[in-house]
Amino acid sequence: MSDRDLPFPASVLEPLDARLADLVALYEDLHRHPEMAFQETRTAGEVARRLTAYGYDVTTGIGVTGVTGVLRNGPGPVVLLRADMDALPVTENSGVPYASTVPGRMHACGHDVHVTCLLGAADLLAAGRDRWSGTLVVLFQPAEEAGSGARAMLDDGLYSKQLVPVPDVVLAQHVAPFGAGLIAYCPGACMAAADTLEITFHGTGGHGSRPETTVDPILMAAAFVQRVQSVVSREIAAKEQAVVTVGSFHAGDTANVIPDRAVVRLSVRSFDQNVRTAVLAAIDRIARAEATASDAPKEPETKLLDSFPVTVNDTAVLAEVNEGFTRLFGEQRVFAYEPATGSEDAGLLATAAEAPLYYWWLGGWDPDEFRTALAAGRLAQDIPSNHSPQFVPVARPTLTMGVQALTAAALTRLAGA
């Protein structure tokens, strides 16, 4: 495809084929060596080494382990491309030869793909700098899974200390469990706000043979878990979207002792601030009511462990970038998708800069397996989702399309040379 066929210089993409073997090796290496939030030192070191070799001005240690590269290339807009680096506390069960070598740790959300694709795009854009003008910022963020990585980089002076130029646009992608070779997008609110809560219920402990002498926090918390499921089904209108999930319940150490506390952790997802406020208020009300019903010695304690804002795509930037995607990849490979109830903190990088955001999804699963599961109506059963111990995106064509997408998106916003 010639430069005349696209709204950006397609010739910038030409060196990718020669670089792909190195990118596949990098992806497999990152997958073998996952690092948790704010511990991504090995990953950050490799990122910094490569960016320096590509000719970027590199800054490390932003928000503990964050890395940025800046390439100033004449007049024009400032474009920020972002990838996250952290892994999850998941034991891998994929069977791939490059599986995680770290017990209990895995790149189960594809952040190894994100890092690899952004490094590939950074390389192509640096090598093709004679065909565009402006400033490119590539940002490798820690701790997305903890919901605090973007905020940590901002609090460390990302913009306020001018560690990077303030961007005119923020662009990012996330690998997803649909066929590799596809890109999905959602205008407007595309990912949910998320709040993670920890609620401690207090009782009075005692011997399991004499429960009548205790206030049982397990029974109290169990009643809360049951009742809180009614919030979405009975207190939120059907036209609204919200999710309440209890993912952790800890109490006691042995069978014949009633403990003095039970700790529940839950996740709340929403797209509307009024809905969010209503759900959180209902959770608090139910927790207090169950404590009162059990005659607890004191009210439950609620902590907000982390919080993600709603991720909102700018419709004008989405349309402009998607025109480039459609002309590059073909209309049949770029499709609209409904908002996802997963959450992201990339939007903070845009709102802090008062810049528009476009965040899209990159297919990562084996295309033939995906088509077979889709035809059989078994996507949920046969295709592992993000955070699954079997979620390992295929290297090809995922990396090829991921590098091309980031590069093309940047070029649609950078001025032509």
Side-chain angles (χ1 to χ4, degrees), residues 388-404:
S388 163
Q390 288 89 35
F391 184 74
V392 181
V394 294
R396 296 181 176 90
T398 306
L399 298 182
T400 301
M401 195 164 190
V403 172
Q404 290 174 332

Side-chain angles (χ1 to χ4, degrees), residues 272-328:
D272 178 87
Q273 182 58 40
N274 291 331
V275 171
R276 175 180 180 268
T277 299
V279 171
L280 294 177
I283 290 170
D284 181 70
R285 185 192 73 240
I286 292 169
R288 292 175 184 275
E290 293 297 345
T292 298
S294 296
D295 195 22
K298 61 179 180 178
E299 290 188 338
E301 298 170 347
T302 300
K303 294 180 181 178
L304 179 64
L305 300 183
D306 61 57
S307 184
F308 293 82
V310 177
T311 303
V312 181
N313 275 331
D314 182 88
T315 54
V317 174
L318 179 149
E320 182 180 355
V321 172
N322 276 4
E323 180 184 356
F325 284 169
T326 300
R327 291 169 66 178
L328 176 62

Side-chain angles (χ1 to χ4, degrees), residues 338-362:
E338 68 268 14
T341 49
S343 302
E344 252 289 351
D345 65 353
L348 292 173
L349 300 170
T351 55
E354 298 183 350
L357 170 75
Y358 180 24
Y359 185 98
W360 63 89
W361 293 291
L362 172 72

Side-chain angles (χ1 to χ4, degrees), residues 51-121:
L51 291 180
T52 300
Y54 302 157
Y56 287 76
D57 294 327
V58 178
T59 304
T60 60
I62 308 173
V64 186
T65 48
V67 181
T68 60
V70 178
L71 191 63
R72 294 174 174 85
N73 192 40
V78 179
V79 174
L80 188 151
L81 302 178
R82 174 266 197 182
D84 39 14
M85 301 187 291
D86 55 322
L88 284 160
V90 172
T91 298
E92 183 161 354
N93 185 26
S94 68
V96 299
Y98 51 92
S100 170
T101 60
V102 184
R105 300 288 184 267
M106 179 192 174
H107 268 299
C109 202
H111 295 187
D112 45 355
V113 171
H114 304 170
V115 171
T116 303
C117 289
L118 183 49
L119 283 171

Side-chain angles (χ1 to χ4, degrees), residues 174-372:
H174 200 300
V175 68
F178 54 85
L182 301 174
I183 282 179
Y185 64 90
C186 176
C190 66
M191 298 190 78
D195 297 284
T196 300
L197 306 176
E198 180 183 89
I199 303 177
T200 301
F201 292 90
H202 298 280
T204 58
H207 201 288
S209 67
R210 301 183 65 204
E212 74 279 4
T213 67
T214 73
V215 174
D216 189 345
I218 295 179
L219 184 61
M220 191 189 315
F224 164 81
V225 171
Q226 286 283 93
R227 181 62 183 269
V228 81
Q229 301 305 315
S230 70
V231 172
V232 172
S233 64
R234 290 297 178 268
E235 300 191 38
I236 302 301
K239 65 181 180 180
E240 304 289 356
Q241 288 182 282
V243 177
V244 176
T245 298
V246 176
S248 175
F249 191 126
H250 289 277
D253 298 304
T254 189
N256 65 343
V257 177
I258 294 174
D260 64 357
R261 68 187 59 198
V263 180
V264 174
R265 289 186 175 185
L266 61 158
S267 177
V268 177
R269 311 284 170 143
S270 59
F271 289 91
D272 178 87
Q273 182 58 40
N274 291 331
V275 171
R276 175 180 180 268
T277 299
V279 171
L280 294 177
I283 290 170
D284 181 70
R285 185 192 73 240
I286 292 169
R288 292 175 184 275
E290 293 297 345
T292 298
S294 296
D295 195 22
K298 61 179 180 178
E299 290 188 338
E301 298 170 347
T302 300
K303 294 180 181 178
L304 179 64
L305 300 183
D306 61 57
S307 184
F308 293 82
V310 177
T311 303
V312 181
N313 275 331
D314 182 88
T315 54
V317 174
L318 179 149
E320 182 180 355
V321 172
N322 276 4
E323 180 184 356
F325 284 169
T326 300
R327 291 169 66 178
L328 176 62
F329 301 123
E331 186 174 355
Q332 73 281 2
R333 296 172 68 187
V334 182
F335 65 97
Y337 199 67
E338 68 268 14
T341 49
S343 302
E344 252 289 351
D345 65 353
L348 292 173
L349 300 170
T351 55
E354 298 183 350
L357 170 75
Y358 180 24
Y359 185 98
W360 63 89
W361 293 291
L362 172 72
W365 205 253
D366 179 89
D368 292 333
E369 291 183 14
F370 181 80
R371 282 191 291 269
T372 299

